[in-house]
Amino acid sequence: MNVISITETITVSLPVDSHHTFALDSWKISEGSYDVKNNYLLESLFAQGNGTIGLRGTHEESYCGPAGSSQEGNYLNGFYESEPITYPENAFGLARNNHFMLNLPNGKGLELWLADEVFNLANGRILSYQRELDFKTGILTRIVRWESPKGRQIEVQSERLVSFVERHLYAIRYRVTALNFNATLRLVSTLDANVQNLAAGDDPRVGSKISTPPLKIQRYQNTPTMQAMEHKTTHSEFHLVSAIAHASEDWTAEETTGSAEQQVLERYFSAQIEQGRCLSLCKFGSYFSSRDYPANGLMERSAEYLEQACQRGFDYLATQQAAYLDAFWQKANVEIAGDPALQQGIRFNQFHLLQSVGRDGQTNIAAKGLSGEGYEGHYFWDTEIYILPFFLYSKPEIARKLLEYRYRGLAHARQRAREMGHQQGALYPWRTIGGEECSAYFPAGSAQYHINADIAYAVKQYLEATGDNDFIVNGAAEMVWETARIWLDLGHYPTSRPEVFCINEVTGPDEYTALVNNNYYTNAMAKAHLEFALSLVEQLQQKSAADYSRIKKHIGLQDEEIIAWRKAAQSMYLPYDEALKIHAQDDSFLSKKIWNFSDTTDDKYPLLLHFHPLVIYRHQVCKQADLLLAMLLLTDQFTLPEKRRNFEYYEKITTHDSSLSSCIFSIIAAEIGEHEKAYSYFMETARLDLDDTHNNTKHGIHTAAMAGTWMCIAYGFGGMRMINGELHFSPNLPQQWQHYQFQINFKRATLNIRIDKEGTEYRLVDGDEIHFHHGEQSMHLNPEQRCVFILK
Ligand code: BGC
C-alpha cells in the first residue's frame, strides 16, 4: 500500500522541476500517488470538456498545497470578457480590445466532514490513491483511502464527467465508505464565484491583464432543488447562469446558506455512517449563457435542465458518454503496435481534441482547448492548418462547424480590413474569441496576413474531402472571395520588376522573423487562395449561375477583380536562392547573420523569453516550420530534391520553440526518407503534453501539436496527401513498430489503412466506394472488393 505523508510533500518549493510519469496504459492516464509537486500540470492533463464546458482536473475538496501550485478553472467555450487594450504608445489601427476566456464560478466543490474532522488530501494520511482519466468512458475517477488525524479511515470514490451529449452539463458522483468507524458525516456542496483569471506575468503566452472584476452578480437562487447565480460581464455584457443540483438517497439534505455578497452558495447534507457502509451523492452542474439563449430565461432553463439530470441520474449519463466515445473511436482510432508510450500519447491527444473543440458553429477550438488560460482562450490559425484535418477525416461535421464559425465572423473581418486600410474584402483576426482582432503585438500578430489564405485552404480541403457543395453557396464562396480581395490590395507589381506580384511587410508562420517582404509561405498560400477563388468562380458560373450572381452582387465583386486575381496568381513572386538551391523564407532571410547556436545554452530556450524581439529578428533563426509547412500544404509544387535541400537547410536553424513545429518536421522527414528523424520529431510531438516537454502544459494543453501528432501518422508515416481532390498514400513503417493503422473518412466512405512489415492493407469499412492512389497505383474499393493488400 502506498502511504504518503502529505504534510511533508507540500513543503517542496515551486516551480515544478520534475515531470510526472504515467503508467503506459493505452486507453487512459492514471496516477497511483498524490503528486503535489506536479499538481498544476496534472490539473491540465486531467481536464475534462465537451467543446462547450471545460473543467480543469482540480479536486472536489479545497486545495491546500503551496501557493502557485494550482489554478481552479472552469470555462465555457466562447464566453469571454472584452477589455480595451491600453498601449503606452498608441498607433492607428492597432487592435482595440482584448477578449479573454473567463474563469467561471466553480461548482465542483464538495467538503466532507467526519464528525469534527475535514477530509483533505493535505492533512491526515493518504493510505492509497488512484486517479485515472479513461478515454473510453470519458470519466475521471479518483479512489482515495485516507486516515484522519484522529485515526478515522475512509474510502472516497469520486467520478466526474462533462457530458458529450448534454452540452451544458457536468456531473460528479461522490461515494464515501467508512472503513473503521461510526460517526455523523457532513457534506457541504458549494457553488463558488470567488474565482479569478490568471494574472499576466512576464511570459507573453500566459494570463490576462484584467483591470476590473469581470463577473458582476445579478441575482441568485438558493432553494432545495437548485443553487444558482446569475452574473453579467462588465464589458461584453453577457449573462451567465452557473447552477448546481443534487440527488441522493443516502444523505439528508439540510440547510442552504450563502449570499450575493459572499459570492458562494452552500448546500449542507448529513448522514449517519456505520463501518463498512457506503454513502453516495450525485451533484449535477450546468452553465448557460446569453451567447446561446435569451438572457431573461437562463435561470429557468437551468432549473429544468438540472431537474431532468437529477431524475436520469449519473449512470444514465455515463452510459450515454461511453456510447458517444465508442462511436468516436470507431471513426478516429489510431493503433500503434510496438510502442505503448506513443499509443498512449496519440490517444490522449485525440481525446483532448474531442474535449476541446466547439461544434456549434459559434465557437472554435482554443490554442489550449478548455483546459487552461494560456493564450487567454484565443483561437488562432492553429484551427485551420493543424486541427481541422483531424476532424475533417474523422468527424467531418465538426470540420464544417469550425468553418461556419469563420463564416459567422465575416462581418468582423470586413470591419478589420477597413481598419487596416483595405477598401474592400475581409481580413480575419490573428487571434480572437468573439471575432475582433485581439493581437496586441502586431509584428507577430496582425502582420500574419496568411490567416486569410489558411482559412481558404481549409475550406478547399473540406470541400474536396466531403463533396459538401451546399457549403459553397452557403458561406464558402463568399468567404473565399472576400478574403481573396485583400491580396490584390496588399500586394503590388514593383516598378523595378513589373512582371512579378509581391507582398510586402507581412509576417509568415515563423514568429522569430517579422515584417518581411515576400514571405514564401504567405505568397505561395496567397497564390493558392487566388487560384481556389477562381476555381469557385468557374464552378459556380457553370453549375449554379443564380447563386453566382447572388453572391457576386451581395459582395459587389467586379469582373475586373477576377481578371486581376488570375494575373496576380500567375505572377506571384516565390523567392528562390540560386546559389544555395533552396527556397528562401523571404527576401532578406538568407542575408541575415545565422544565430549563434553553439553559444546558446539550453536555459536560454525558448529564445522569446530571453532575447529582445529585434535581436531575434535580425538573425537567421526560426521558431517553427515556415517554408517546410508550405512544402507540406502545397506538396506538388516542390520536387523531392528541393524538399531535401530545404529540409537540411532549415532544420539547422529551427529551434522548435513553438509546439507547432516538430510535427511538420516529422512529416517532411518521412517524405524525404529521413526515417530516424521522422520518428524522433514524432516522439517530441506525440507526448509533448504528457511529458510536459515545453514546460508550460500547466497553463493548458497544446491543441495544435496534439492534432499535429495525428498528421504525423496520416501524412508522415502514412504519406497521405490530397492532391487535386484525390487521396494519395505512400506508407512507411517505422522500424520500432510491428504495425499501425488509422482511418480516413472521405466522401462519406471510411477507409482503414493498416501497415505492417509485409505491406499495406486498405479496407473499405463504411460507404459505397472509395478511390485513391497507393504510390503510382490507382485503387478502387467497393462492396464487391472491400479490401486490398499491397505487398511492400
Ligand atoms: C506560435 C503560433 C501559434 C500560437 C498559438 C505561437 O507560439 O508561434 O504559430 O498560432 O503559438 O498556438
Side-chain angles (χ1 to χ4, degrees):
M1 193 174 287
N2 210 345
V3 181
I4 301 173
S5 166
I6 286 306
T7 38
E8 279 165 34
T9 40
I10 62 171
T11 58
V12 292
S13 60
L14 295 167
V16 172
D17 54 2
S18 75
H19 295 153
H20 186 87
T21 316
F22 292 99
L24 296 182
D25 192 313
S26 61
W27 284 106
K28 61 185 166 198
I29 52 164
S30 61
E31 52 169 356
S33 61
Y34 181 46
D35 183 359
V36 182
K37 257 185 28 198
N38 287 300
N39 183 68
Y40 206 147
L41 164 69
L42 292 165
E43 289 175 356
S44 298
L45 299 178
F46 283 111
Q48 290 173 285
N50 61 3
T52 299
I53 295 176
L55 310 181
R56 274 175 68 80
T58 49
H59 299 277
E60 283 81 13
E61 307 78 27
S62 47
Y63 181 71
C64 300
S69 63
S70 171
Q71 167 74 8
E72 182 56 75
N74 303 281
Y75 313 105
L76 198 51
N77 198 356
F79 188 81
Y80 64 92
E81 174 60 316
S82 169
E83 276 215 346
I85 305 173
T86 33
Y87 297 94
E89 278 187 56
N90 210 348
F92 182 84
L94 296 184
R96 287 290 145 228
N97 296 306
N98 188 27
H99 297 172
F100 45 88
M101 180 171 79
L102 276 175
N103 198 346
L104 309 182
N106 177 31
K108 289 178 291 203
L110 286 165
E111 194 172 73
L112 174 67
W113 287 83
L114 324 177
D116 56 344
E117 297 180 289
V118 67
F119 164 58
N120 195 290
L121 295 169
N123 57 29
R125 276 201 320 145
I126 297 176
L127 307 175
S128 68
Y129 176 99
Q130 184 70 30
R131 179 164 67 152
E132 61 182 47
L133 179 59
D134 189 311
F135 314 147
K136 279 185 174 169
T137 63
I139 294 180
L140 175 68
T141 307
R142 188 198 62 181
I143 304 177
V144 187
R145 286 190 166 213
W146 180 81
E147 185 179 78
S148 73
K150 292 187 180 167
R152 297 185 180 101
Q153 293 184 352
I154 50 164
E155 180 180 284
V156 176
Q157 177 178 3
S158 50
E159 294 159 286
R160 195 192 295 167
L161 64 83
V162 179
S163 174
F164 283 116
V165 182
E166 304 287 342
R167 71 187 195 102
H168 296 283
L169 189 69
Y170 61 93
I172 299 168
R173 176 158 59 193
Y174 201 76
R175 289 197 269 217
V176 186
T177 308
L179 299 179
N180 68 348
F181 69 98
N182 304 331
T184 302
L185 301 190
R186 278 192 117 195
L187 195 57
V188 189
S189 174
T190 51
L191 177 64
D192 187 355
N194 294 297
V195 289
Q196 275 187 345
N197 273 73
L198 203 59
D202 291 339
D203 186 337
R205 300 165 299 182
V206 181
S208 315
K209 296 196 169 55
I210 306 174
S211 58
T212 42
L215 288 172
K216 298 252 179 346
I217 191 146
Q218 306 295 299
R219 59 188 179 129
Y220 72 97
Q221 179 178 322
N222 202 359
T223 62
T225 48
M226 179 175 86
Q227 285 68 57
M229 284 185 248
E230 179 163 347
H231 288 91
K232 189 175 168 195
T233 56
T234 308
H235 300 282
S236 52
E237 301 195 331
F238 299 141
H239 286 254
L240 169 79
V241 168
S242 320
I244 53 170
H246 308 85
S248 176
E249 292 181 355
D250 300 333
W251 292 84
T252 307
E254 295 190 342
E255 75 272 27
T256 52
T257 60
S259 65
E261 293 73 46
Q262 291 166 330
Q263 294 258 36
V264 59
L265 303 178
E266 290 161 334
R267 180 99 174 112
Y268 286 79
F269 298 88
S270 70
Q272 185 62 36
I273 198 165
E274 295 84 40
Q275 182 173 344
R277 202 172 152 219
C278 172
L279 304 177
S280 172
L281 175 125
C282 293
K283 178 173 186 177
F284 301 94
S286 67
Y287 294 109
F288 280 95
S289 90
S290 58
R291 291 273 282 151
D292 295 317
Y293 305 97
N296 58 13
L298 295 175
M299 212 41 121
E300 296 69 25
R301 200 176 279 276
S302 308
E304 280 169 31
Y305 199 72
L306 289 181
E307 190 189 341
Q308 188 188 54
C310 288
Q311 277 164 11
R312 287 174 166 175
F314 189 90
D315 281 333
Y316 179 91
L317 291 172
T319 308
Q320 271 187 338
Q321 188 85 338
Y324 182 94
L325 282 167
D326 187 47
F328 169 69
W329 289 116
Q330 296 229 8
K331 292 281 181 207
N333 185 28
V334 172
E335 196 178 290
I336 299 174
D339 198 323
L342 288 178
Q343 177 69 82
Q344 182 182 44
I346 188 157
R347 290 226 179 94
F348 173 79
N349 294 348
Q350 292 178 289
F351 181 72
H352 263 289
L353 287 169
L354 183 70
Q355 295 202 114
S356 307
V357 68
R359 38 239 209 215
D360 56 3
Q362 308 206 61
T363 56
N364 206 275
I365 178 165
K368 303 284 181 165
L370 300 168
S371 69
E373 291 161 38
Y375 285 125
E376 297 159 280
H378 288 169
Y379 314 138
F380 292 77
W381 71 311
D382 304 31
T383 299
E384 283 78 15
I385 295 302
Y386 286 79
I387 300 168
L388 189 126
F390 167 65
F391 287 108
L392 177 57
Y393 293 113
S394 50
K395 272 180 104 52
E397 65 281 10
I398 291 185
R400 171 153 177 168
K401 291 291 172 196
L402 291 172
L403 296 173
E404 283 177 14
Y405 165 84
R406 291 297 190 184
Y407 182 57
R408 278 211 165 85
L410 201 48
H412 278 297
R414 286 190 178 110
Q415 193 187 330
R416 182 64 187 152
R418 302 301 161 272
E419 287 163 9
M420 295 293 280
H422 307 296
Q423 297 312 311
Q424 53 185 12
L427 174 61
Y428 275 97
W430 175 245
R431 51 191 289 177
T432 189
I433 299 180
E436 263 179 90
E437 174 63 281
C438 296
S439 120
Y441 180 62
F442 74 85
S446 303
Q448 298 202 45
Y449 267 74
H450 64 84
I451 180 79
N452 264 13
D454 301 332
I455 293 171
Y457 184 88
V459 171
K460 181 165 186 275
Q461 298 273 306
Y462 171 78
L463 295 177
E464 288 181 349
T466 60
D468 176 4
N469 289 337
D470 163 73
F471 188 51
I472 300 180
V473 292
N474 287 308
E478 184 181 344
M479 193 162 44
V480 170
W481 294 341
E482 278 286 68
T483 47
R485 284 174 141 175
I486 296 297
W487 300 121
L488 268 291
D489 198 32
L490 183 65
H492 76 138
Y493 298 90
T495 36
S496 55
R497 284 186 297 174
E499 71 288 0
V500 289
F501 188 78
C502 293
I503 298 176
N504 291 342
E505 220 56 27
V506 297
T507 298
D510 167 31
E511 293 188 353
Y512 282 174
T513 309
L515 303 177
V516 295
N517 296 344
N518 295 312
N519 166 253
Y520 188 101
Y521 176 93
T522 306
N523 287 20
M525 290 290 283
K527 177 177 159 73
H529 183 174
L530 292 169
E531 285 164 355
F532 177 46
L534 289 164
S535 78
L536 286 180
V537 167
E538 278 160 26
Q539 194 177 329
L540 289 194
Q541 276 173 342
Q542 284 162 18
K543 295 193 186 139
S544 196
D547 285 313
Y548 176 62
S549 308
R550 173 180 57 83
I551 302 167
K552 197 168 166 234
K553 189 164 165 227
H554 174 58
I555 63 171
L557 183 64
Q558 305 297 314
D559 290 338
E560 305 81 74
E561 290 184 68
I562 298 171
I563 295 166
W565 290 352
R566 180 161 291 116
K567 182 169 174 229
Q570 285 164 353
S571 325
M572 187 68 73
Y573 176 61
L574 299 170
Y576 185 79
D577 188 283
E578 290 295 346
L580 293 168
K581 299 220 172 314
I582 60 166
H583 294 87
Q585 189 169 298
D586 60 66
D587 277 356
S588 60
F589 188 80
L590 297 173
S591 62
K592 291 178 180 168
K593 188 175 170 189
I594 293 184
W595 186 267
N596 184 347
F597 291 97
S598 46
D599 287 349
T600 311
T601 47
D602 285 355
D603 59 335
K604 290 285 184 281
Y605 293 96
L607 301 182
L608 68 101
L609 296 185
H610 303 277
F611 298 90
H612 190 282
L614 285 173
V615 177
I616 299 177
Y617 296 165
R618 63 175 76 100
H619 286 90
Q620 279 192 58
V621 56
C622 301
K623 182 181 180 190
Q624 62 203 100
D626 188 305
L627 189 96
L628 262 66
L629 185 57
M631 295 194 331
L632 168 65
L633 303 182
L634 306 168
T635 183
D636 52 343
Q637 298 179 18
F638 299 82
T639 65
L640 203 56
E642 282 173 350
K643 286 181 179 166
R644 282 206 186 99
R645 290 195 298 271
N646 289 339
F647 180 91
E648 273 165 29
Y649 189 88
Y650 288 98
E651 187 190 27
K652 293 195 189 84
I653 51 171
T654 303
T655 59
H656 309 290
D657 281 352
S658 160
S659 66
L660 280 65
S661 193
S662 300
C663 53
I664 307 303
F665 274 74
S666 170
I667 296 166
I668 302 297
E671 185 177 4
I672 61 173
E674 289 278 356
H675 298 303
E676 282 309 312
K677 283 188 176 173
Y679 197 74
S680 74
Y681 280 121
F682 174 62
M683 295 275 283
E684 278 174 32
T685 295
R687 292 183 60 92
L688 188 143
D689 283 314
L690 272 182
D691 296 340
D692 193 22
T693 54
H694 278 240
N695 272 315
N696 63 359
T697 296
K698 65 183 179 185
H699 297 131
I701 51 143
H702 298 77
T703 51
M706 288 180 151
T709 317
W710 181 88
M711 290 202 285
C712 289
I713 298 281
Y715 297 177
F717 304 121
M720 176 180 138
R721 299 286 185 278
M722 186 158 51
I723 304 172
N724 298 328
E726 301 208 340
L727 276 181
H728 294 251
F729 296 93
S730 175
N732 195 279
L733 180 72
Q735 62 180 26
Q736 292 85 343
W737 302 348
Q738 279 115 42
H739 74 254
Y740 68 101
Q741 59 177 313
F742 61 99
Q743 309 220 110
I744 294 297
N745 196 290
F746 188 72
K747 294 193 173 143
R748 285 183 289 281
T750 307
L751 182 68
N752 182 286
I753 302 107
R754 186 182 186 283
I755 298 103
D756 64 21
K757 294 199 162 57
E758 269 73 58
T760 305
E761 180 196 83
Y762 295 94
R763 196 156 42 87
L764 179 65
V765 283
D766 209 0
D768 294 337
E769 58 167 357
I770 192 157
H771 178 73
F772 58 93
H773 304 265
H774 172 96
E776 302 297 307
Q777 288 170 265
S778 181
M779 321 287 306
H780 191 83
L781 295 178
N782 56 31
E784 279 77 56
Q785 195 194 358
R786 290 204 153 261
C787 189
V788 58
F789 188 84
I790 302 167
L791 281 172
K792 221 173 144 190

